[in-house]
Amino acid sequence: MIARQTIFEGRVQGVGFRYTCKELAKGYDLTGSVENLPEGTVKLILQGEEEEIEEYLQDLSEESALSHHIKGQMTTPIEVDDSLKGFVISK
């Protein structure tokens, strides 16, 4: 299992982006969280197998109904958090 953090830029707040992230996660074997950040970006945390994470991020950024709102994204590796269960919307 690995963990990744992705920061999304663009018009990603106030358009249902966090809800879309949560709904999309139902089709994957992942745990994670998504939250709005004060500067207008969205932080997404995903944990699972690398292939699942890559497929999820591709679906979100290229295939989802909100993909056109994403103007940039940066994904970085982070430590796995064993306490994270399911997929939650924070803030």
Side-chain angles (χ1 to χ4, degrees):
M1 178 185 300
I2 64 167
R4 297 286 183 262
Q5 172 181 285
T6 302
I7 303 295
F8 291 94
E9 298 174 333
R11 189 166 172 236
V12 292
Q13 290 190 14
V15 294
F17 193 82
R18 292 177 299 160
Y19 178 78
T20 299
C21 288
K22 184 175 180 172
E23 286 300 303
L24 183 61
K26 291 178 181 178
Y28 291 89
D29 186 20
L30 297 169
T31 59
S33 65
V34 63
E35 70 178 281
N36 287 340
L37 298 178
E39 67 274 3
T41 60
V42 170
K43 177 172 75 172
L44 173 67
I45 303 289
L46 294 172
Q47 297 185 154
E49 298 301 319
E50 186 171 8
E51 184 177 303
E52 288 277 304
I53 292 173
E54 288 176 6
E55 287 180 21
Y56 175 96
L57 289 173
Q58 182 175 0
D59 279 352
L60 181 63
S61 62
E62 296 176 15
E63 307 294 329
S64 76
L66 296 177
S67 63
H68 63 282
H69 289 290
I70 301 169
K71 300 302 179 206
Q73 68 187 63
M74 185 174 70
T75 301
T76 55
I78 59 172
E79 293 293 318
V80 172
D81 179 355
D82 292 326
S83 69
L84 191 58
K85 307 292 183 216
F87 192 96
V88 297
I89 295 175
S90 303
K91 296 183 187 176

